[in-house]
Amino acid sequence: MIRLAILGTGSMAQQHADRLKEIAGVRLVACCDVDQARVHAFAQHNTIPHAYTDVAALLAAGGLDAVTIVAADAAHKDLAVRAARHGLHILCEKPLAANAAEANAMVQAVRAAKVVNLVNFSYRASAALYKARDLVAAGALGELRHVEASYLQGWLTRAVWHTKQPISPGALWRMSAAQSKGDLGDLGVHILDFMTFVAGAPCEIACHTTSLPKGLPGNKYKGVLLDANDSFVASLRFANGALGVVHSSRWATGPNNSIRLRVYGTAGALVVDLDSAWHTLQACCGKDVPAGRWRTLRCAKVPSIYQRFIRSVRTGTPGTPDFADGWRIQVYLDACLAAAARGRAVRV
Ligand SMILES: NC(=O)c1ccc[n+]([C@@H]2O[C@H](COP(=O)([O-])OP(=O)(O)OC[C@H]3O[C@@H](n4cnc5c(N)ncnc54)[C@H](O)[C@@H]3O)[C@@H](O)[C@H]2O)c1
């Protein structure tokens, strides 16, 4: 039996609870949130015996093997370092931390404690992504020439200033530069992982970000300045001279959750489009290139991050994506913000 606690009991925590409860041999024994009403409601709804508002008390009580960290981004580092010091295995939500320095401290803490550590880049649940990575690694596309990746949501077009509905606490901290990395930390982190998992690491990043007015007095809501970036557009240079473009936005009217990756090489191309399919991809490689014939490749399903986490805890073997992967993406996020602030490309 693996005894597990959920740290942070806002909206995403219910997905953690639902997915973990489906796995045989997992017991949710505790949860923690700084919001007392929320943590008690969550414990009651999920029949979790122990609810805490202070993580120190939860850790001191013992009786745990692992935690999942689903608190707001700014709290990840402190919770993870404390959990690691108590020898607990950790599945942490993305973005791993507020910046690369904090992410690095988390990597050091889990390495010192020798605990399983995974970060929830959710779209790694797409089997098509693994197939794309394998095709590129096997040389089926030849040498990398060009990459394009995008992640588009439209929730800012449906938000409070149009509907007069209250802004949820989870949306509010996501719109504050003091409390989050905005769209970059929310959607950018996913698409940067998605793209670099297949195409590899860039050596240079240029970036523009924008934060558009929300139509509220002083651009504030309940005293919180809504100044986090809403969209970013980045161009990447790879070591062989190839270029890539990656962008995301919360202002993409209409589409709810659109993720697309296109990779072009000297010998072929591939497209992963999660709007169409998570477990197939389109490829045009080798002898199909002159004829421009695209084929649909079916891919074997991959286990969910929750299944991979529990398997790693049971077997004591490392899994992916781990905290080091989370740190690497955090370096790209910091580079995007630095490039946007300086108005020129930065080396990574
Ligand atoms: N992987 C994904 O696709 C995905 C999707 C949604 C959210 N997320 C991530 O999950 C996390 C939670 O997002 P959400 O949408 O549930 O936000 P939310 O605001 O609904 O919930 C966050 C909760 O964290 C709590 N919290 C803040 N500081 C805390 C602390 N020190 N200790 C304990 N609890 C604390 C808040 O009180 C709140 O209840 C974020 O990191 C977010 O980026 C990931």
Side-chain angles (χ1 to χ4, degrees):
M1 186 61 70
I2 292 169
R3 300 159 303 171
L4 207 134
I6 294 183
L7 311 183
T9 59
S11 58
M12 183 63 182
Q14 193 54 51
Q15 185 183 123
H16 281 231
D18 291 342
R19 296 289 85 79
L20 289 161
K21 279 192 278 188
E22 290 167 359
I23 304 174
V26 172
R27 235 173 70 211
L28 299 182
V29 296
C31 56
C32 176
D33 197 293
V34 290
D35 185 315
Q36 187 166 25
R38 208 172 292 161
V39 74
H40 284 295
F42 186 83
Q44 193 173 24
H45 179 72
N46 293 289
T47 334
I48 297 173
H50 304 290
Y52 298 85
T53 53
D54 177 7
V55 74
L58 175 146
L59 294 170
L64 288 172
D65 302 300
V67 297
T68 72
I69 298 177
V70 209
D73 301 354
H76 291 184
K77 182 220 157 198
D78 180 57
L79 294 172
V81 169
R82 283 167 181 257
R85 286 189 185 139
H86 279 76
L88 301 177
H89 305 293
I90 307 170
L91 166 62
C92 185
E93 266 305 337
K94 62 80 219 171
L96 187 59
N99 52 50
E102 284 197 359
N104 184 45
M106 294 165 75
V107 171
Q108 301 313 320
V110 292
R111 282 189 181 156
K114 297 187 170 61
V115 292
V116 169
N117 54 97
L118 294 188
V119 59
N120 189 13
F121 291 135
S122 319
Y123 301 102
R124 294 247 196 144
S126 156
L129 189 70
Y130 289 85
K131 181 78 175 173
R133 192 262 320 255
D134 292 348
L135 285 171
V136 169
L141 272 62
E143 201 181 326
L144 184 70
R145 282 293 177 258
H146 198 76
V147 191
E148 181 211 36
S150 60
Y151 186 172
L152 300 173
Q153 289 187 343
W155 60 273
L156 282 181
T157 65
R158 300 185 299 274
V160 56
W161 36 96
H162 302 300
T163 65
K164 308 293 179 223
Q165 298 297 309
I167 297 183
S168 72
L172 193 53
W173 63 256
R174 282 171 165 81
M175 288 191 273
S176 156
Q179 298 178 58
S180 77
K181 277 203 157 30
D183 171 66
L184 262 169
D186 203 11
L187 311 189
V189 71
H190 281 302
I191 197 64
L192 283 161
D193 178 69
F194 205 78
M195 177 194 210
T196 56
F197 184 62
V198 175
C203 59
E204 192 180 275
I205 297 182
C207 184
H208 291 288
T209 63
T210 193
S211 181
L212 297 170
K214 310 296 183 299
L216 296 172
N219 205 27
K220 284 185 179 175
Y221 184 82
K222 291 188 177 169
V224 177
L225 188 60
L226 307 180
D227 58 345
N229 60 81
D230 311 320
S231 308
F232 86 97
V233 178
S235 56
L236 316 183
R237 182 180 294 281
F238 294 87
N240 72 349
L243 296 180
V245 60
V246 55
H247 64 103
S248 73
S249 181
R250 300 162 162 175
W251 286 111
T253 312
N256 242 339
N257 208 51
S258 271
I259 294 189
R260 192 174 67 177
L261 170 67
R262 297 174 184 220
V263 184
Y264 301 95
T266 49
L270 62 82
V271 177
V272 179
D273 183 349
L274 297 193
D275 272 3
S276 318
W278 280 53
H279 304 307
T280 60
L281 62 77
Q282 305 297 314
C284 174
C285 295
K287 62 182 185 330
D288 285 337
V289 172
R293 190 183 307 116
W294 288 81
R295 293 179 194 271
T296 301
L297 306 185
R298 298 200 178 283
C299 321
K301 280 195 177 178
V302 293
S304 74
I305 187 83
Y306 307 101
Q307 291 166 326
R308 294 206 300 277
F309 178 58
I310 296 303
R311 188 177 62 195
S312 281
V313 169
R314 277 214 176 95
T315 59
T317 50
T320 58
D322 64 8
F323 278 21
D325 292 314
W327 165 80
R328 186 174 47 79
I329 301 301
Q330 210 86 43
V331 169
Y332 302 151
L333 294 183
D334 287 3
C336 284
L337 287 174
R342 291 176 203 164
R344 60 177 169 77
V346 300
R347 304 283 302 171
V348 283

